[in-house]
Each structure stands twice: as structure tokens, then as C-alpha cells.
Amino acid sequence: MSELKLCQGPLCHTYHTQDRLKGPKDNKTYQTRRRSSFYYGQSNFCSLNCQNDWFYEYGNKAIDHFGRLNEVKHLTEENAWSKRYDWRTSTGESHRHYFLNTITQEQRPLTEAQFDDNNYTLNTGE
Ligand SMILES: [Zn+2]
């Protein structure tokens, strides 16, 4: 049996829904949702509402902890590479994966493994 995760929303237990009402018949309480997986916030939240509650409570601390952006970023030829693919199910061909430079419009081929690798990039600047 897979372990259940708890929704990380600090107010999850305060929302009155039937599925949150748990416990013995004479002592039911509204409780934080437990699931094997969640759809929101990298599987940490049961709803967008709970994700927003978390950000409202901890967002500033999180941004300060990981580094607040203090200067504008610029999109240049060096950091404009974006992964794309063409969906080709109707023609029987496999999907075509490629890099597209959104400034120059240059395209470069990409393997599916490179496409799936979140660390693989042609970008040299931020
Ligand atoms: Zn929740």
C-alpha cells in the first residue's frame, strides 16, 4: 500500500466538505485531506485554493529564502532556446522534438531523451 500524503494547505482542515469530515460516528472532525497523490503544487496540495493559502502564508519567506529577483532579466539569443515538439500521430511518424530559438527562430533537432531531461538546455545565460 502506498503511503498517503497530507495536503500542505495550512487551512485545508477548515473547509467544510463531506470528504474532509472523518472519524468515529459521534466524534467526526474536519481534517486535512489525505491522498496518494495531489494535482496541484508538485503534488503537495489538494486544490488550487490550498496552494494559494500556503503561498499567502509562506510565499514571502520562501522567496527571501531562495533568492528574490532584484534585477530584470532579458531574453536574448543566448537564453531563448525553448523545447518544442510536433505531434504527428495522424501521419504515423514519431513526434518531432526540437529546440526553437524564440528570438532567431532557428530550430535544432533534439532526441526524446534530451527533450525529457529537464537539465538539458542550449541556453548559456539566464
Ligand atoms: Zn487541501
Side-chain angles (χ1 to χ4, degrees):
M1 190 182 122
S2 66
E3 201 163 301
L4 295 180
K5 297 172 137 191
L6 292 173
C7 172
Q8 295 301 302
L11 300 176
C12 191
H13 64 291
T14 67
Y15 297 116
H16 293 221
T17 61
Q18 211 51 46
D19 70 302
R20 286 180 172 98
L21 193 56
K22 306 248 178 184
K25 222 175 197 175
D26 54 347
N27 192 22
K28 287 188 185 297
T29 57
Y30 289 101
Q31 300 179 12
T32 301
R33 276 180 170 152
R34 275 174 282 215
R35 300 274 163 79
S36 54
S37 71
F38 294 115
Y39 286 115
Y40 301 94
Q42 298 175 330
S43 197
N44 285 301
F45 303 99
C46 73
S47 67
L48 210 46
N49 206 21
C50 280
Q51 181 180 310
N52 288 340
D53 289 341
W54 187 95
F55 199 87
Y56 185 81
E57 183 80 21
Y58 304 112
N60 273 323
K61 286 181 193 164
I63 289 171
D64 286 335
H65 177 77
F66 292 107
R68 186 170 290 273
L69 189 64
N70 290 312
E71 290 174 17
V72 296
K73 291 183 174 185
H74 299 268
L75 187 65
T76 64
E77 288 180 26
E78 287 70 39
N79 66 13
W81 293 102
S82 170
K83 290 176 180 177
R84 303 287 167 91
Y85 70 91
D86 291 333
W87 191 254
R88 295 182 171 185
T89 47
S90 57
T91 60
E93 298 168 86
S94 57
H95 313 314
R96 188 178 72 104
H97 298 79
Y98 61 100
F99 268 118
L100 171 68
N101 190 302
T102 61
I103 296 287
T104 64
Q105 303 304 313
E106 181 186 346
Q107 294 185 12
R108 292 189 193 169
L110 192 59
T111 67
E112 191 167 348
Q114 289 168 333
F115 183 88
D116 292 337
D117 180 353
N118 287 334
N119 294 318
Y120 187 76
T121 181
L122 295 179
N123 291 325
T124 54
E126 272 199 36

